[in-house]
Amino acid sequence: MPIKIRPIRTCGDVAYVPLTQGYTAIIDAADVPLVEGCNWVAAVGRYSVYAQRCDRSGTRPRMVLMHRIIMGEPDGLQVDHLDGDGIHNRRKNLRLATSSQNNQNRRISSSNTSGFKGVYLSKTIGKWCAQITISHKQKHLGTFTSPEEAHAAYRRASNQYHGQFGRTE
């Protein structure tokens, strides 16, 4: 018995691809030919949910991410979602990035206690510290009397070192 393929719904220039677990991926209608003809599943990751499918065309099955199919499966590069939403796969929300650039666009860590990205309270000195990661290395930006001052230092450094990939919130 053939597998029933879940239909993709198109509305203007946007298409909605049904995933498992109640999720729906959003793509450009022009990209429907790239993803149609198979069922896509929701892969719930550590930081986001992604759309993926199983490719059985080779010698062994492999999982393929929808955003990589849409961007042409670039060798040596990752696909970064500007808004951090792994199932928002419209081309205006996707860009090619190195691993380091992709990490610069991460959201604030769930273990963060200051409420500001790049800011933590040093219990040994009782001050707020700012730090930023550059090329996989931590750079200390200074100590401050308030978390807002430390975050301002982080924002300046993010603009300088991370540029368009920097996320400060």
Side-chain angles (χ1 to χ4, degrees):
M1 181 166 161
I3 296 173
K4 183 179 179 190
I5 303 297
R6 293 185 295 273
I8 297 172
R9 185 173 51 89
T10 304
C11 184
D13 64 345
V14 180
Y16 302 91
V17 183
L19 308 175
T20 56
Q21 303 181 53
Y23 291 98
T24 302
I26 302 169
I27 65 171
D28 292 311
D31 290 327
V32 168
L34 297 174
V35 302
E36 67 186 348
C38 57
N39 284 323
W40 292 85
V41 300
V44 181
R46 188 169 162 191
Y47 301 105
S48 190
V49 177
Y50 298 97
Q52 70 180 18
R53 68 172 175 82
C54 186
D55 179 7
R56 299 182 192 281
S57 63
T59 55
R60 46 162 88 162
R62 70 181 181 102
M63 298 311 288
V64 179
L65 294 164
M66 183 184 288
H67 56 268
R68 291 191 60 78
I69 295 291
I70 290 171
M71 294 299 285
E73 296 204 69
D75 283 338
L77 291 174
Q78 296 181 0
V79 178
D80 180 44
H81 293 79
L82 276 79
D83 67 0
D85 182 353
I87 56 176
H88 179 190
N89 292 324
R90 297 194 69 193
R91 289 182 184 264
K92 69 181 182 183
N93 190 50
L94 302 176
R95 63 183 167 190
L96 298 179
T98 64
S99 172
S100 182
Q101 289 169 327
N102 200 10
N103 284 331
Q104 293 164 10
N105 192 27
R106 273 195 174 159
R107 291 187 177 117
I108 190 169
S109 170
S110 62
S111 64
N112 180 297
T113 57
S114 71
F116 297 102
K117 187 171 180 184
V119 177
Y120 66 95
L121 179 62
S122 171
K123 293 179 181 170
T124 56
I125 60 172
K127 291 198 175 204
W128 295 95
C129 300
Q131 70 181 19
I132 192 166
T133 304
I134 305 164
S135 301
H136 303 291
K137 293 183 182 173
Q138 296 290 324
K139 178 177 175 60
H140 179 73
L141 301 172
T143 56
F144 305 88
T145 56
S146 75
E148 292 82 8
E149 289 175 301
H151 187 57
Y154 176 83
R155 282 196 319 270
R156 286 190 300 274
S158 180
N159 277 342
Q160 179 182 353
Y161 296 111
H162 296 166
Q164 68 176 342
F165 288 91
R167 179 186 293 259
T168 57
E169 303 304 323

